[in-house]
Amino acid sequence: YKGSTLDRSVLLDPPTPAPLAAPKAEFSQLENGLKVASIDKGGLTARVGLLVNAGSRFETSANFGVTNMVSMMSFASTAHLSQLRTVKSLEQLGCNSTAMCKAGREETVYKVDVAREFVPLVVPLLVGNVLFPRLLPWEVKATAKKVKDMRKAFEADADAMVSDLLHKAAFCNNTLGLSPHASERCLSYFTPETIRGFLLDHFAP
């Protein structure tokens, strides 16, 4: 094999390599109108995301900060699982550190990175958190205590603060000018009834 480099096969009849095809995005729509976009990259892990067309621009004077409240109450108790069972399920699937919910001005995104064989188990967890949260009063009260700390962390980020102030100035505190970050003055709206009302108005498929 003198003179043969490692990129050349030393077999007399080397097998023909399988053609590689670029992954293609597939789109479908369920009967209830929910749109599904998927792409198979052949990896060992999968990223499952659920995007809801509801953000801070849909807030009113009766529920300021509710979008941030929804994101903070994600992966808590649902009609099917308690908060402890939800957390333990995510831990067993190895995705407790990747499960997150981020609220923006126009959308709310639930996302989980998990091994692809566990996708059938993660999807019901996401659906339960979006459509069937229990919003127990003691869980809401415990979460409300974190608003002040989250606000301090947000104000310490100069880039985020400048972007938020620019939106407020551009849209005069209307629609996109409403901040997706709750402040202390929003604590009076931090109730199960306020959150449930917003979910019923904007989270139903």
Side-chain angles (χ1 to χ4, degrees), residues 4 9 33 49 62 115 154 171:
S4 296
S9 175
F154 169 68
F171 295 93

Side-chain angles (χ1 to χ4, degrees), residues 20 32 40 53 77 81 85 140 142 146 154 169 177 181 188:
L20 297 177
N32 60 4
D40 187 359
N53 184 29
S77 297
L81 298 174
R85 178 60 65 183
V140 175
K146 303 176 184 178
F154 169 68
H181 303 279
S188 59

Side-chain angles (χ1 to χ4, degrees), residues 137-199:
W138 53 88
E139 292 182 358
V140 175
K141 185 177 181 180
T143 305
K145 297 178 181 179
K146 303 176 184 178
V147 171
K148 185 182 295 186
D149 295 334
M150 293 184 64
R151 187 67 188 183
K152 288 182 179 179
F154 169 68
E155 292 176 350
D157 188 343
D159 292 338
M161 276 297 297
V162 169
S163 176
D164 195 60
L165 294 174
L166 286 174
H167 276 84
K168 288 184 178 181
F171 295 93
C172 299
N173 285 329
N174 289 299
T175 60
L176 293 178
L178 297 176
S179 176
H181 303 279
S183 60
E184 292 185 52
R185 74 185 185 96
C186 301
L187 290 178
S188 59
Y189 304 111
F190 212 130
T191 63
E193 293 75 22
T194 302
I195 301 173
R196 184 171 288 109
F198 185 78
L199 294 177

Side-chain angles (χ1 to χ4, degrees), residues 35-187:
K35 298 178 181 178
V36 180
S38 58
I39 180 170
D40 187 359
K41 295 185 177 181
L44 297 177
T45 60
R47 174 169 294 178
V48 183
L50 200 158
L51 188 145
V52 183
N53 184 29
S56 60
R57 68 171 299 171
F58 300 102
E59 294 177 2
T60 66
S61 58
N63 60 8
F64 280 134
V66 68
T67 307
N68 197 192
M69 302 172 202
V70 170
S71 66
M72 294 174 66
M73 288 298 299
S74 62
F75 301 103
S77 297
T78 67
H80 309 101
L81 298 174
S82 65
Q83 184 177 25
L84 178 61
R85 178 60 65 183
T86 299
V87 173
K88 287 296 183 182
S89 298
L90 293 173
E91 288 180 350
Q92 291 177 345
L93 297 176
C95 57
N96 57 306
S97 61
T98 64
M100 60 165 288
C101 175
K102 184 176 181 180
R105 286 180 164 79
E106 295 187 276
E107 74 289 321
T108 303
V109 181
Y110 294 79
K111 182 177 72 70
V112 175
D113 292 347
V114 67
R116 62 185 300 157
E117 61 265 26
F118 294 145
V119 169
L121 301 176
V122 167
V123 171
L125 279 175
L126 282 177
V127 173
N129 274 274
V130 174
L131 296 181
F132 308 109
R134 294 188 66 184
L135 302 175
L136 299 173
W138 53 88
E139 292 182 358
V140 175
K141 185 177 181 180
T143 305
K145 297 178 181 179
K146 303 176 184 178
V147 171
K148 185 182 295 186
D149 295 334
M150 293 184 64
R151 187 67 188 183
K152 288 182 179 179
F154 169 68
E155 292 176 350
D157 188 343
D159 292 338
M161 276 297 297
V162 169
S163 176
D164 195 60
L165 294 174
L166 286 174
H167 276 84
K168 288 184 178 181
F171 295 93
C172 299
N173 285 329
N174 289 299
T175 60
L176 293 178
L178 297 176
S179 176
H181 303 279
S183 60
E184 292 185 52
R185 74 185 185 96
C186 301
L187 290 178

